[in-house]
Every structure is written in C-alpha cells, then in structure tokens.
C-alpha cells in the first residue's frame, strides 16, 4: 500500500508510504490518497485528517519514473495526469473536515503543494520545504493557486521564482506552517493539534472552511452577504443547539 492508515481517537492518520523513493506523488499514491480521503469523509468517527510521510521525507514531489517521460507522453496523457494532481490538491484544500500536514522531512515541489493544501501544518525543526519546479523548467502552476492564498503575493513570488528550499523557521516566518517542533515530537504535536481542532462543532468547522475558501475571491459586499447567510443558517443546526445547551448546563458539548 502506498498510503498507510491508522486511527487515533477520531483522527485519521494517512502516511505516504514509499520511503525508499521519498514518497513521490506517483499515480498509484495519488489514487490511493484520494480513496483514503473519501473513506475518511464518509466515516462519522473521523473528525480530522493528518498527512505525513514514511521514512525521512514528507514527499519529494514528482515521481522520477513519470518525470523521465513527461516531455514525450503526449498532450492527452499529460493533461490527464495534471487533472488528477489538481483533483488531489483541490480535495485536500476543500476537504470538509480539518486537514493537517505533519512535515517530517523534505516537502518538495508537489510534496510542498500537498502540505500547503492542508489547513494547518506542523513542521520538524530539521525539515525543509520548497517549490523547486522552475529549476528544471517546470511551473508550479497548481501549487501556485493555493500558495498565494497561504502566504500572499510577495512571499509566493519569492518561493516560486527562486525555487529554493526554505528552513522550518523561514517557513514559519512566511506563514507556510503553524508550528515548529523537534522531530521526535512532530507526530504527537500534530495529533494533539488535530484533536484540539476536532473537539469543536463539526458543522462549524466545515462551514468556516467553506467561508475561508470563498471570501478571498469576493468583494466586500458579496463577502458580507455570504457571511450573513452562513450566520443565519448555522443557527438552525443541531450542533449549535447542543453547544448552547452545554454552555448553559455547564458541561462539555457532545458533538
């Protein structure tokens, strides 16, 4: 299996499992990861998803075997591959449950894109991340869509135009990651953060993600209009009824 799955008190841990090749985003791995995300969404006991890599790397990005033939594969094959990778990034970015990246080692090119697509990221002190596509004549086109939303235009331009790998402290400074921890604490920290997030109302988490995805592309009036609709709609949900009841009864909510 190119993706290993384990459950940790409501958190689904998905581990990219091709360590000898540094967990490249090969077609089989992308297919398996999409399948596991579907399973995680359909499982009501799964409240959040954490992605990490087996071995020393998070993900080295492109599958080298695929890369060797990319210039002769033909337009249709290349477009099909590009769309499948787009589907993965879009799936992670818009996943209705919280997603977290536990960046245990190098996250490069498409691997960096996968980490960037997650809602939150915890990074090992020793790890590096970079969007290196320009160094071989490629373009980080899919990654760029979500990167500029994460770090803003100036940082995105620096990362995409230099193609350099950045350290954990620099990734934190740019807003690429939320926390930096020693390598031996990475998984525990990521799972703890996932559990902290997942303890909140599922409906609120899902709707918050939808709003955060939509608002950057909207004007002020449209943004406020959408927010007012969301504000009114959530009042009809069972999660809010339970949350208010728990508040007045001075007990933890049972979401």
């Amino acid at each position: 299996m190119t993706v290993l799955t384990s459950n940790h008190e409501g958190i689904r841990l998905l581990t990219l499992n091709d360590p000898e090749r540094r967990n490249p985003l090969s077609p089989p791995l992308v297919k398996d990861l999409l399948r596991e995300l579907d399973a995680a969404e359909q499982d009501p006991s799964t409240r959040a998803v954490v992605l990490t890599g087996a071995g020393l790397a998070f993900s080295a990005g492109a599958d080298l075997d695929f890369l060797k033939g990319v210039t002769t594969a033909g337009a249709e094959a290349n477009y099909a591959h590009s769309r499948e990778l787009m589907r993965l990034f879009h799936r992670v970015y818009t996943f209705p449950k919280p997603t977290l990246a536990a960046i245990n080692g190098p996250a490069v090119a498409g691997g960096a894109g996968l980490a960037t697509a997650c809602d939150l990221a915890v990074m090992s002190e020793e790890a590096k991340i970079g969007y290196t596509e320009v160094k071989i004549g490629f373009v980080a086109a899919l990654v760029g869509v979500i990167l500029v939303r994460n770090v803003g235009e100036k940082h995105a331009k620096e990362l995409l135009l230099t193609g350099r790998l950045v350290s954990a402290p620099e990734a934190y400074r740019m807003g690429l990651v939320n926390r930096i921890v020693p390598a031996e604490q990475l998984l525990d920290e990521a799972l703890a953060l996932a559990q902290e997030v997942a303890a909140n109302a599922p409906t609120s988490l899902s709707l918050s993600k939808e709003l955060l995805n939509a608002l950057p592309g909207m004007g002020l009036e449209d943004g406020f209009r959408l927010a007012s609709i969301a504000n009114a709609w959530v009042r009809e949900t069972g999660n809010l009824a339970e949350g208010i009841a728990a508040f007045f009864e001075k007990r933890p909510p049972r979401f």
Side-chain angles (χ1 to χ4, degrees), residues 28-248:
L29 189 146
V30 170
K31 181 179 178 181
D32 287 346
L33 190 50
L34 283 167
R35 186 188 65 247
E36 293 299 340
L37 288 168
D38 286 345
E41 180 179 0
Q42 294 163 14
D43 180 5
S45 69
T46 296
R47 304 290 294 272
V49 173
V50 173
L51 301 179
T52 194
L56 300 178
F58 179 79
S59 174
D63 178 6
L64 296 184
D65 291 336
F66 172 81
L67 195 60
K68 289 176 183 177
V70 71
T71 60
T72 58
E76 290 184 0
N78 278 319
Y79 185 53
H81 177 267
S82 180
R83 283 189 60 83
E84 194 71 355
L85 196 58
M86 177 201 72
R87 194 159 78 90
L88 175 61
F89 290 165
H90 185 272
R91 182 73 165 121
V92 174
Y93 194 77
T94 62
F95 198 67
K97 301 176 182 183
T99 56
L100 293 87
I103 306 172
N104 55 302
V108 182
L114 180 61
T116 306
C118 292
D119 298 318
L120 302 172
V122 181
M123 191 172 184
S124 164
E125 290 176 337
E126 302 167 2
K128 291 190 175 183
I129 187 169
Y131 311 84
T132 58
E133 284 87 343
V134 292
K135 291 186 175 295
I136 63 167
F138 216 79
V139 177
L142 298 174
V143 174
V145 175
I146 51 180
L147 179 62
V148 72
R149 285 169 164 253
N150 274 253
V151 300
E153 189 174 324
K154 290 297 184 184
H155 285 320
K157 283 183 176 179
E158 180 180 352
L159 290 164
L160 295 181
L161 299 182
T162 66
R164 63 186 177 87
L165 295 174
V166 299
S167 66
E170 191 167 5
Y172 180 79
R173 177 183 65 82
M174 290 182 168
L176 275 172
V177 299
N178 301 91
R179 298 182 184 180
I180 303 171
V181 295
E184 62 273 14
Q185 299 176 19
L186 177 71
L187 204 50
D188 286 343
E189 182 73 14
L191 290 171
L193 179 57
Q195 287 166 350
E196 180 183 353
V197 172
N200 295 311
T203 302
S204 298
L205 293 172
S206 179
L207 186 56
S208 293
K209 286 192 59 172
E210 285 191 47
L211 285 169
L212 289 168
N213 289 344
L215 290 175
M218 305 181 81
L220 181 66
E221 298 305 322
D222 287 340
F224 271 122
R225 189 174 297 110
L226 178 63
S228 66
I229 293 171
N231 187 292
W233 178 83
V234 79
R235 301 179 192 195
E236 304 295 322
T237 62
N239 276 181
L240 182 61
E242 166 61 15
I244 291 174
F247 176 79
F248 283 107

Side-chain angles (χ1 to χ4, degrees), residues 5-13 43 45-46:
T5 303
S6 59
N7 295 305
H8 303 261
E9 299 180 0
I11 309 304
R12 182 76 58 98
L13 176 64
D43 180 5
S45 69
T46 296

Side-chain angles (χ1 to χ4, degrees), residues 18-24 26 28 57 60 62-66:
D18 192 356
E20 292 183 359
R21 300 197 304 154
R22 295 158 56 92
N23 307 316
S26 63
D63 178 6
L64 296 184
D65 291 336
F66 172 81

